[in-house]
Amino acid sequence: MNPDAYLQSLIQWASGEQGDVAITLAVNGVIVTGWIVSEGEYSEGLAKTWEVSSQTLEDIMGRHYEATGAPLYFHLRDAQIISGGGGTTTVDWWRGRLEAVDGFTIGGLERDTHSEG
């Protein structure tokens, strides 16, 4: 299955110089929401979290960063993963495959404070 071309374009635009774009995605039955970041910012954030250099992280991950065409992955900071049972896990950094995304909306999740009745 190929990634959604619109989502690829959105990720490419938002992870460029746009900055601070929130997104919420449905990925294999869970909801993932967070702020879109570039692969470079994701890598730097992980390096700081793990207290290693960016070069060490590249060695660990076995990846040399290249700008080649449309993205195949999305990278989020301050991500929340919400399972079907309602449990929520918050992580500093999240990386996912674009082709695994079932649906998305631009923006984060807000708790509905209105009650009916």
Side-chain angles (χ1 to χ4, degrees), residues 5 12-13 25-26 29 32 38 45 51 53 55 57 61 67-68 71 74 77 82 89 100-101 107 114-117:
Q12 194 166 22
W13 169 77
L25 309 114
V32 180
S38 68
E51 297 179 351
S53 71
Q55 181 62 48
L57 182 65
M61 303 301 267
T68 56
F74 62 92
R77 71 172 157 75
I82 304 161
T89 302
V101 174
H114 298 93
S115 61
E116 293 186 31

Side-chain angles (χ1 to χ4, degrees), residues 15-26:
S15 64
E17 295 185 21
Q18 177 58 32
D20 286 347
V21 174
I23 193 165
T24 301
L25 309 114

Side-chain angles (χ1 to χ4, degrees), residues 4 6-7 10-11 14 21-27 30-36 74 76 101-110:
D4 179 323
Y6 181 76
L7 180 57
L10 175 67
I11 294 293
V21 174
I23 193 165
T24 301
L25 309 114
V27 181
V30 299
I31 301 297
V32 180
T33 187
W35 297 92
I36 300 170
F74 62 92
L76 304 178
V101 174
D102 298 313
F104 70 94
T105 187
I106 298 169
L109 293 178
E110 301 282 329

Side-chain angles (χ1 to χ4, degrees), residues 32-68:
V32 180
T33 187
W35 297 92
I36 300 170
V37 296
S38 68
E39 189 171 23
E41 185 177 342
Y42 169 82
S43 177
E44 289 173 19
L46 275 184
K48 287 179 185 175
T49 298
W50 292 352
E51 297 179 351
V52 298
S53 71
S54 293
Q55 181 62 48
T56 300
L57 182 65
E58 285 182 23
D59 292 342
I60 292 169
M61 303 301 267
R63 168 107 166 90
H64 297 284
Y65 300 102
E66 303 170 13
T68 56

